[in-house]
Amino acid sequence: MSTEITVPALGESVTEGSIGEWLKQPGDAVAADEPIASLETDKVAVDVPSPVAGVLQEHRAAVGDTVEVGAVIAVIEEGATAAASGEEAGRKEQQSDAGEEKREEADKDLANAAQTLSPAVRRAVLEHGVDPSTIKGTGKDGRLTKEDVLAAAKAKGDPAPAPSPAPTPSPAPAAATGERKEERVKMTRMRQTIAKRLKGAQEEAALLTTFNDVDMSAVIEARTKYKDMFAKKHDIRLGFMGFFAKAACLALKDVPSVNAYIEGDEIVYHDYVDISVAVSAPNGLVVPVIRDADKKGFARIEKDIADFGARAKEGTLTMADMTGGTFTISNGGVFGSLMSTPIINPPQSAVLGLHRIEDRPVAVNGEVVIRPMMYIALSYDHRLIDGREAVTALKIIKEAIEDPTRMLIDL
């Protein structure tokens, strides 16, 4: 009996996606609930599982095709495992390419592994030809990460070729001909969406950025003093983002327009704070949301951020993780950025940009001293937020970071 595989619901307001990768080819045996394809949406990659065990008969869409929710993308012949084995054997006899055989062996490893692999991890497994069932995962709940696969491939220790004698120097053909090459790679759906949203934000909003600098001495001292006790009690590292998230909550409560957005001819205000945290993922920047950050303590916020970071690397973030958000924090400092003008995340009206910490000479009580300083930036939609409000919000964040006690007594 043939079973049609359709595009599953992809999340609120998401009606279509594109075929990012076929994980199973026609003739391949498929287990029930085993992913057969990876769909790329505007925000995340989503696996499409088979509801039945059998053999993949045909693809109804090609890689790169846009498909709507409910559309048929493949057909499974239910209960035809034996036939599939014969077809695979016939295919293997016709294949002489060693790389294709390596991929098929990896496909078998994937089918036998008793775990769910993200698209990024699956691609790494196929590329390096390792058995995922033999690798111990370091991700959340023991899930495999891409780094786990790369480490296993390195530990596998394929013998390196013996060094060959140094060749006799000769003119390089490329230099003689002046040949230069170009490579064209189609943008992923996520990258296309990021490009459209960021360009749309610049065209629609009246963007302006205000800057300040922050003395990080107090936060660094607090982290140094309490990090061991914090980790022991909460089983999570005390980072800088928790401090900035709580400081932002103070600012957004005092300056509500920074936590609002424009919809038509109305301003929508929120009595809660949902902070979007910009996280780097294999396919681009994603912004999962810390819900009710104003009601959460440092430990819960740090755990949410750590979980988002791990799942972003694994490619297992969901649409629900990134839906909503009233304000964004983007930390370019982890990449070494000294200063930047971040772009707002529509429909939000403001974004806080963090940067690297560096020792700089500053004047304190009439004396020049060296302090660990960070530039912070608040980009905002000037249609909604006045300069006075933006500067006030950023100043509240600065003061809370320089005196963390303010966060405990709601000042």
Side-chain angles (χ1 to χ4, degrees), residues 10-18 39-46 119 188-195 197 276 279-289 291 311-312 315-325 345-348:
L10 300 173
E12 183 181 356
S13 76
V14 180
T15 60
E16 64 181 22
S18 58
L39 282 179
E40 291 183 355
T41 69
D42 293 346
K43 297 181 178 180
V44 294
V46 179
T188 65
R189 188 181 187 89
M190 183 185 294
R191 176 52 61 184
Q192 292 178 49
T193 300
I194 291 172
R197 285 174 62 84
S276 303
V279 176
S280 181
N283 292 332
L285 194 70
V286 294
V287 279
V289 180
R291 313 285 177 189
R311 290 197 286 139
T316 57
L317 286 172
T318 67
M319 293 294 295
D321 292 324
M322 290 176 282
T323 301
N345 178 25
Q348 298 172 20

Side-chain angles (χ1 to χ4, degrees), residues 32-378:
D33 297 323
E34 184 178 7
I36 65 168
S38 175
L39 282 179
E40 291 183 355
T41 69
D42 293 346
K43 297 181 178 180
V44 294
V46 179
D47 282 347
V48 180
S50 171
V52 298
V55 174
L56 180 62
Q57 276 193 323
E58 61 174 315
H59 295 159
R60 294 281 181 89
V63 171
D65 285 356
T66 297
V67 289
E68 296 183 351
V69 172
V72 177
I73 59 173
V75 177
I76 299 287
E77 182 66 25
E78 190 173 350
T81 305
S85 299
E87 291 177 15
E88 287 186 30
R91 258 201 334 272
K92 288 182 181 179
E93 291 176 359
Q94 296 173 4
Q95 292 171 338
S96 59
D97 187 275
E100 183 63 27
E101 290 181 358
K102 184 177 182 180
R103 180 181 177 87
E104 289 179 351
E105 290 173 2
D107 279 340
K108 288 183 179 180
D109 291 338
L110 287 174
N112 294 329
Q115 54 185 304
T116 301
L117 304 182
S118 70
V121 173
R122 186 178 297 106
R123 282 192 289 271
V125 168
L126 294 174
E127 179 181 349
H128 294 281
V130 296
D131 181 356
S133 64
T134 64
I135 306 173
K136 183 178 180 180
T138 61
K140 182 177 175 61
D141 298 326
R143 288 195 294 260
L144 286 185
T145 67
K146 183 178 179 181
E147 288 73 18
D148 294 333
V149 176
L150 296 178
K154 184 177 181 180
K156 187 178 176 183
D158 293 333
S164 55
T168 304
S170 59
T177 61
E179 181 182 1
R180 299 188 300 171
K181 296 182 179 180
E182 293 181 349
E183 181 182 9
R184 293 180 180 268
V185 180
K186 185 180 172 89
M187 294 171 67
T188 65
R189 188 181 187 89
M190 183 185 294
R191 176 52 61 184
Q192 292 178 49
T193 300
I194 291 172
K196 290 177 182 177
R197 285 174 62 84
L198 294 182
K199 185 60 179 175
Q202 288 183 316
E203 294 176 346
E204 179 70 17
L207 291 180
L208 191 62
T209 303
T210 183
F211 298 91
N212 215 319
D213 60 355
V214 178
D215 184 344
M216 297 294 292
S217 298
V219 167
I220 292 174
E221 182 181 351
R223 290 183 70 232
T224 302
K225 184 176 181 179
Y226 296 112
K227 65 179 181 180
D228 292 338
M229 287 186 288
F230 188 88
K232 183 177 180 180
K233 180 176 180 179
H234 300 293
D235 194 29
I236 189 70
R237 186 179 69 91
L238 179 58
F240 290 114
M241 283 294 287
F243 287 93
F244 279 100
K246 295 303 291 184
C249 289
L250 289 181
L252 300 181
K253 289 294 185 180
D254 284 357
V255 190
S257 61
V258 182
N259 196 42
Y261 69 91
I262 294 175
E263 187 173 66
D265 59 356
E266 296 179 328
I267 299 174
V268 181
Y269 291 96
H270 307 92
D271 67 352
Y272 54 89
V273 178
D274 287 351
I275 296 182
S276 303
V277 182
V279 176
S280 181
N283 292 332
L285 194 70
V286 294
V287 279
V289 180
I290 303 173
R291 313 285 177 189
D292 296 314
D294 53 323
K295 297 180 177 65
K296 291 180 176 177
F298 279 78
R300 185 66 264 170
I301 289 175
E302 291 291 356
K303 286 180 180 180
D304 285 351
I305 293 172
D307 177 56
F308 289 148
R311 290 197 286 139
K313 290 180 180 179
E314 297 167 5
T316 57
L317 286 172
T318 67
M319 293 294 295
D321 292 324
M322 290 176 282
T323 301
T326 62
F327 181 77
T328 293
I329 298 179
S330 179
N331 186 7
V334 297
F335 304 110
S337 172
L338 175 64
M339 187 180 292
S340 68
T341 55
I343 300 177
I344 63 174
N345 178 25
Q348 298 172 20
S349 297
V351 54
L352 175 66
L354 308 182
H355 303 92
R356 76 170 185 252
I357 302 170
E358 63 176 9
D359 289 340
R360 293 203 300 268
V362 295
V364 178
N365 298 325
E367 295 182 354
V368 176
V369 297
I370 303 298
R371 292 291 174 86
M373 303 297 293
M374 175 196 287
Y375 289 115
I376 57 176
L378 184 75

